[in-house]
Amino acid sequence: MTTTEAKPRRRTKAEQRAESLEQILDAAEYLFSKHGLYGVTLKDVAQRVGVHTSLLHYYFADKKALFDAVIDRRAPITVNRRMEALARYEDECAGKPTVEGALRAALDTDLDLYSGADEGWRNYAALGAQISNTPEWGAAVMDDHFDPVVLRLIGLLKQALPDCPEEDIFWGYHFVTGAFMLTVARTGRIDRLSGGLCRSDDFPAIKERMASFMAAGFIHICGERAAGREAGKK
């Protein structure tokens, strides 16, 4: 008796289009992460994929539409993960959050996401670092996608530090996000400065330290300001 091997299933046109679109988004994400919005052309993306530029015009009206699609593909994932982590922590702390607990819910969740071997997430993280430091075209992206999760974290920090001036909470977040974006950019600078003692891709080491370090900063500056107010009353 002879057996015949089953023929591989032919992909549908919809599947082929989806695969083609993913390849375009992956290529654009890589190039934008290296060169920014204005340093990349549709022709650059087409050449990296190995297709004609007309295919990109079939999917996207212009380069900005492609850039927006790159951001829209992953931003909801990281936002939803952090919102869920903050919600879980809010339930667990039963109205008594700590600064470090709130920071770990927000920071560790993303550090876990970016620490893996997935090249796409590494490229997206590097692109996010560019966006957060580019007011001309990045500020609106940050506002549109990330304000809800940031404000939820701010709310927990206010609960954890009820006597802290509100501006100090926001300044603290400003310092936190700066350190976080430098971290996910993986510049390699700490590798060179430390002679290899520290590595910019050692996310377990970063995760172990970052929230604790930042929490101490919040607590110190808020305590210092409270002491100053008390001294002014005397």
Side-chain angles (χ1 to χ4, degrees):
M1 179 180 292
T2 61
T3 59
T4 58
E5 293 183 2
K7 293 182 179 179
R9 184 179 67 86
R10 294 184 63 182
R11 293 177 300 160
T12 65
K13 288 185 178 180
E15 289 171 335
Q16 292 175 27
R17 285 195 296 270
E19 182 179 341
S20 177
L21 183 58
E22 283 297 298
Q23 290 174 345
I24 291 170
L25 292 173
D26 286 344
E29 185 175 60
Y30 171 82
L31 291 170
F32 286 136
S33 75
K34 301 297 183 184
H35 308 295
L37 173 61
Y38 295 124
V40 177
T41 66
L42 290 179
K43 183 178 180 181
D44 294 331
V45 178
Q47 287 179 340
R48 183 167 179 83
V49 179
V51 298
H52 195 274
T53 310
S54 60
L55 181 62
L56 272 70
H57 287 292
Y58 173 79
Y59 288 111
F60 305 102
D62 52 29
K63 181 174 68 173
K64 183 59 166 57
L66 172 57
F67 179 83
D68 290 341
V70 167
I71 301 302
D72 292 344
R73 180 171 61 156
R74 297 191 196 271
I77 297 173
T78 174
V79 168
N80 290 338
R81 281 170 59 97
R82 282 183 286 171
M83 289 292 269
E84 290 170 2
L86 288 167
R88 284 195 303 271
Y89 178 67
E90 199 166 5
D91 288 340
E92 292 167 2
C93 74
K96 296 180 179 180
T98 66
V99 178
E100 183 170 345
L103 290 174
R104 286 203 174 278
L107 297 176
D108 289 2
T109 305
D110 254 14
L111 289 173
D112 287 341
L113 185 61
Y114 295 135
S115 66
D118 188 292
E119 182 183 2
W121 277 107
R122 292 200 302 273
N123 292 335
Y124 176 79
L127 177 57
Q130 280 200 51
I131 290 170
S132 67
N133 288 283
T134 310
E136 291 81 4
W137 51 267
V141 174
M142 301 301 289
D143 293 346
D144 290 345
H145 288 284
F146 301 108
D147 278 5
V149 68
V150 171
L151 293 174
R152 184 153 195 173
L153 171 60
I154 294 289
L156 279 170
L157 292 171
K158 288 179 180 179
Q159 282 184 260
L161 297 165
D163 298 324
C164 189
E166 189 173 19
E167 64 267 28
D168 288 332
I169 300 287
F170 280 98
W171 276 121
Y173 172 75
H174 180 74
F175 303 144
V176 167
T177 194
F180 181 81
M181 288 302 178
L182 176 62
T183 293
V184 298
R186 302 181 192 230
T187 65
R189 178 162 167 72
I190 193 172
D191 309 52
R192 295 185 292 275
L193 286 171
S194 69
L197 182 64
C198 304
R199 302 192 322 277
S200 60
D201 63 353
D202 188 354
F203 276 64
I206 294 164
K207 181 178 173 181
E208 182 182 350
R209 294 165 173 82
M210 180 174 279
S212 300
F213 183 89
M214 294 300 176
F218 272 99
I219 292 167
H220 176 78
I221 194 67
C222 292
E224 190 175 65
R225 296 264 288 176
R229 289 197 304 275
E230 287 300 315
K233 294 177 183 178
K234 295 178 181 178

